[in-house]
Amino acid sequence: MRKMLYLIVLLPAFAVAQNSTSYWSLGLAVGTLNYSGEITQEGDIGTWINEMRPDVGIQIRRHLNYRTAFGIEAGWGKVYAADANRGNQERDYIVDTELAQVNMFFELNFKKYGKYFQRNANTPFVKVGIGGLFYTPFLNTNASYPQEYELFPGSYATYNFQLGFGWKWRISYHSSLALDLHYNATGSSYLEGFNLRDAANPTDAFYGLRLTYSYAFFE
């Protein structure tokens, strides 16, 4: 009876390990980031493009089969926004924050894709992740912050929740390119480096476009 219970417990892990469609892949990503918070309540497409900042990262995935994968990613980027871009030069608040994030994520392909499915040269996918966010705001020293604002210079850490949607294309037997749009909700209300005292400050977010090159190591 005990041997039977051991077999039931270990069978799913054994099945995953022996899955002929499973493999590892390594990815390198470049993209853009934009801030979403107090300063960005107004603006147009030109402002959005002007305030884009770089984002780079590395990813490692374990593809369990032709549809699903788990992975870990690490990245660095910046977010930027300015009152001056929105006609509020008198106040002149600026968001200029460096970000570093480490996330665990799950990825789902809508079509069969991977080791044996070369006939499917592309597929849409969704991605969800959660992890840690480390950030350093740089305040505009030329701006005057009223006493009702609390300032947060220095470095901080919070959680990071990511949701993404994109499309990937096979460019060779081992290589793929993916383009995705992702939105990151954070646990911080002072990603920009300041908060209103004694007030309910909403949490901040950021989002971006990312292009990822991945190389698959087929077993």
Side-chain angles (χ1 to χ4, degrees):
M1 183 65 178
R2 182 176 295 179
K3 290 182 178 179
M4 181 64 70
L5 289 174
Y6 286 156
L7 181 61
I8 293 173
V9 171
L10 294 176
L11 187 59
F14 179 78
V16 170
Q18 298 301 312
N19 189 340
S20 63
T21 61
S22 63
Y23 60 96
W24 291 93
S25 69
L26 182 66
L28 298 175
V30 295
T32 63
L33 291 178
N34 285 84
Y35 158 84
S36 177
E38 179 189 352
I39 289 182
T40 58
Q41 298 301 313
E42 298 179 0
D44 54 23
I45 186 71
T47 300
W48 173 69
I49 294 173
N50 185 47
E51 293 183 346
M52 283 181 173
R53 290 300 182 269
D55 176 40
V56 295
I58 186 170
Q59 305 168 347
I60 184 168
R61 292 180 181 81
R62 177 60 178 177
H63 300 261
L64 304 181
N65 50 51
Y66 49 77
R67 288 200 190 275
T68 61
F70 286 95
I72 298 175
E73 63 180 4
W76 175 91
K78 296 188 70 173
V79 290
Y80 179 86
D83 276 343
N85 293 335
R86 294 166 173 80
N88 196 0
Q89 291 88 345
E90 184 176 343
R91 192 175 72 161
D92 201 25
Y93 290 174
I94 291 176
V95 179
D96 184 11
T97 302
E98 291 186 359
L99 308 173
Q101 53 179 315
V102 180
N103 301 317
M104 298 179 63
F105 65 87
F106 169 78
E107 196 171 278
L108 174 67
N109 297 325
F110 285 89
K111 295 194 294 184
K112 293 180 178 181
Y113 188 89
K115 192 172 181 179
Y116 296 123
F117 300 95
Q118 297 185 63
R119 66 181 182 274
N120 289 339
N122 63 85
T123 180
F125 67 93
V126 293
K127 176 181 171 184
V128 292
I130 189 169
L133 176 69
F134 309 90
Y135 63 99
T136 303
F138 297 95
L139 295 168
N140 180 15
T141 56
N142 295 321
S144 177
Y145 296 91
Q147 288 188 350
E148 59 265 27
Y149 278 91
E150 184 177 7
L151 305 184
F152 295 91
S155 297
Y156 304 91
T158 186
Y159 70 80
N160 178 48
F161 177 77
Q162 182 182 100
L163 176 64
F165 173 79
W167 211 285
K168 63 178 69 171
W169 300 268
R170 184 191 291 273
I171 57 176
S172 73
Y173 181 56
H174 288 275
S175 301
S176 294
L177 279 179
L179 180 66
D180 71 271
L181 173 66
H182 60 92
Y183 180 86
N184 294 63
T186 79
S188 172
S189 61
Y190 47 91
L191 204 64
E192 60 281 295
F194 53 83
N195 257 350
L196 277 170
R197 297 181 189 270
D198 304 320
N201 292 275
T203 55
D204 298 316
F206 58 95
Y207 57 93
L209 291 166
R210 181 191 294 126
L211 181 67
T212 304
Y213 168 81
S214 296
Y215 187 88
F217 300 89
F218 295 142
E219 301 165 2

